[in-house]
Amino acid sequence: MKKLLLLLFTATFLWSCGGTKVVRQSKKTIKGEWVLSSVDYSKSGTYNVTLLGDTSKECFEQSTWQFIPNNNTGIYSITNGSCATGDRNFIFTIQETDETTGLYHFLLKPTDAKGKSETNQGFRMKLSQLSDIIMQWQQTVSVDGEPFTINMNFSKI
């Protein structure tokens, strides 16, 4: 009887650590290859924005992204010839923020090829839209004391 109780307790504990159904489904949906088709802002104007501590909006547009959810890693490739091209590694996490609305956050931390981060700095974005063919991240920052939202729009390859 004690072994059965211990087994049930262990199974329940492991199941509870596995993430919610929404997060598990999101990881299945995000798996694979994506292209960052466009970056736009909540306010019109010309802005000098460095995305993910890396490079400009113009360099990020048309970059390709690969997500490997079983180990929460990925690679994005900057291909714009007028930018510093190449592969960048990252780790990511999807965190549900409200089970009733299905809202969740996407956390991305740039790393080296071995998964180590030099600065341990990450970026939190709202995963505002996710389907089998499109995904949108929103990052809200402050510009002149006002909220300013950066939208990163992806399409599945």
Side-chain angles (χ1 to χ4, degrees):
M1 183 68 168
K2 286 182 183 181
K3 288 183 181 181
L4 180 60
L5 286 175
L6 182 60
L7 180 63
L8 283 172
F9 176 75
T10 303
T12 303
F13 176 75
L14 291 174
W15 179 79
S16 68
C17 292
T20 66
K21 182 178 180 182
V22 171
V23 170
R24 288 190 304 271
Q25 183 59 44
S26 298
K27 285 184 173 188
K28 287 179 184 177
T29 304
I30 203 170
K31 181 180 180 179
E33 304 270 334
W34 296 79
V35 63
L36 178 53
S37 49
S38 67
V39 177
D40 57 68
Y41 309 123
S42 60
K43 297 181 182 182
S44 60
T46 303
Y47 299 95
N48 183 15
V49 175
T50 300
L51 299 170
L52 305 177
D54 186 0
T55 191
S56 70
K57 159 191 165 171
E58 292 76 20
C59 294
F60 265 99
E61 290 180 325
Q62 303 311 308
S63 60
T64 56
W65 294 66
Q66 179 182 17
F67 294 90
I68 307 164
N70 67 332
N71 63 4
N72 291 353
T73 63
I75 297 172
Y76 66 89
S77 300
I78 303 292
T79 55
N80 184 332
S82 60
C83 304
T85 61
D87 293 344
R88 277 83 156 166
N89 297 281
F90 61 89
I91 56 175
F92 70 94
T93 305
I94 299 172
Q95 293 181 328
E96 188 170 20
T97 58
D98 186 341
E99 187 175 339
T100 58
T101 63
L103 294 177
Y104 37 113
H105 285 154
F106 187 82
L107 298 148
L108 183 140
K109 184 191 302 188
T111 65
D112 62 17
K114 295 181 180 181
K116 303 291 182 196
S117 173
E118 289 182 20
T119 63
N120 207 29
Q121 180 181 15
F123 301 90
R124 179 184 302 269
M125 292 157 281
K126 179 181 174 187
L127 186 51
S128 58
Q129 193 170 14
L130 181 62
S131 74
D132 290 335
I133 57 171
I134 60 171
M135 172 170 59
Q136 183 183 63
W137 300 347
Q138 293 181 323
Q139 184 176 26
T140 303
V141 295
S142 180
V143 174
D144 297 327
E146 297 287 323
F148 179 81
T149 303
I150 302 166
N151 300 302
M152 300 174 73
N153 305 298
F154 294 82
S155 299
K156 190 94 176 227
I157 298 176

